[in-house]
Amino acid sequence: MLLQGQVFIPLTVLKDPVLKPWGPYPLIANEKDPVLIVTLPTLEYQVVFPDVVVEYQSVRQDPSSLDCETHEYLMSLVEAGDTQNLKPDEQEMLWQKRSYLMHLPEALPLVLSSVTDWGFYFLANVYQIIEDWAPLSPVQAMQLLLPQYPDMRVRQKAIEWILCASSDFLFNALPQLVEALRQLQQRIDHCVDFAYAQRCSLLQKELLERHEEDHL
């Protein structure tokens, strides 16, 4: 749904003229924090984005059918695991040959980093592969919560994989999970932010109890 009306954005002032956090969904931690109020256009109707329908399943290709040079090139990219500095030709290769990498969980972040179009008409291609990809470990799935993967369904899939983790892992990863969940909020106002802080506190308490029970 398209956000409309007033948006309250809290800002933390540092000693120099710098504001943080830079993210779009900061948390109001103190009632004395300065708040920036942005007024977005208000329409007489709600704008709702349609669901993306995936009509076909992905077909995994046999990596051994690739020529040696292409296979070695792809494996070198996967082993490097650098999702931040992929060159255009590397992104093109990863996306074109994605069906040959679907058996490698660690390759999914690289392939998704190679998506050049996150528009509505291209998303079916993205959703098609994440549903059929080899399951990621919780550690690998945490990477898909980064801002460079700007899609709710990708993050939902990541959370499915993360929920398979032990309570120890979830407890230790709590700060990262809280930050990632905060980025997913659909509204930015002080009421929602304070309510969200309470939910985070309850989550922390629940994980702590699970952590203690597992070590009795």
Side-chain angles (χ1 to χ4, degrees):
M1 186 178 298
L2 187 66
L3 194 62
Q4 303 181 38
Q6 286 190 335
V7 177
F8 294 79
I9 305 177
L11 302 169
T12 300
V13 181
L14 302 181
K15 293 181 180 179
D16 48 21
V18 176
L19 299 174
K20 74 171 189 179
W22 293 101
Y25 303 118
L27 179 68
I28 297 178
N30 191 305
E31 62 181 9
K32 295 182 179 180
D33 282 350
V35 176
L36 176 65
I37 301 177
V38 178
T39 302
L40 302 175
T42 301
L43 307 176
E44 296 180 355
Y45 48 85
Q46 290 184 339
V47 178
V48 179
F49 297 96
D51 293 332
V52 177
V53 179
V54 179
E55 298 181 351
Y56 305 101
Q57 286 187 324
S58 296
V59 178
R60 295 188 185 186
Q61 301 292 334
D62 185 0
S64 63
S65 63
L66 291 169
D67 61 85
C68 291
E69 184 178 354
T70 301
H71 184 267
E72 290 178 0
Y73 181 55
L74 287 171
M75 290 303 99
S76 67
L77 293 175
V78 173
E79 290 174 7
D82 186 356
T83 61
Q84 300 288 337
N85 300 300
L86 290 171
K87 299 177 182 178
D89 59 330
E90 294 172 338
Q91 291 179 315
E92 183 178 359
M93 175 64 77
L94 285 165
W95 181 253
Q96 285 184 351
K97 304 300 182 183
R98 61 191 183 278
S99 59
Y100 295 92
L101 300 171
M102 296 181 64
H103 65 294
L104 299 174
E106 66 272 22
L108 181 58
L110 286 163
V111 171
L112 292 179
S113 294
S114 302
V115 176
T116 57
D117 185 359
W118 289 91
F120 173 77
Y121 292 103
F122 196 76
L123 282 178
N125 297 312
V126 177
Y127 295 165
Q128 185 182 57
I129 62 172
I130 64 173
E131 293 300 330
D132 299 322
W133 206 275
L136 275 64
S137 71
V139 174
Q140 293 167 332
M142 289 283 290
Q143 190 173 357
L144 299 183
L145 299 180
L146 293 173
Q148 72 187 86
Y149 306 105
D151 184 83
M152 184 71 71
R153 193 155 164 181
V154 170
R155 294 185 174 206
Q156 287 174 343
K157 191 64 179 180
I159 290 172
E160 286 182 23
W161 287 321
I162 291 170
L163 289 178
C164 297
S166 66
S167 59
D168 278 348
F169 176 87
L170 293 175
F171 181 78
N172 293 327
L174 182 62
Q176 295 96 316
L177 291 173
V178 168
E179 180 64 20
L181 289 171
R182 186 158 62 87
Q183 296 292 329
L184 292 177
Q185 284 195 212
Q186 300 299 308
R187 294 292 306 275
I188 317 171
D189 58 62
H190 64 284
C191 294
V192 172
D193 282 327
F194 279 123
Y196 177 76
Q198 291 177 344
R199 292 200 302 273
C200 290
S201 178
L202 291 174
L203 174 61
Q204 185 177 21
K205 181 179 179 181
E206 180 181 347
L207 289 177
L208 180 60
E209 290 174 352
R210 288 175 56 184
H211 180 75
E212 292 175 345
E213 289 174 359
D214 289 347
H215 288 80
L216 289 178

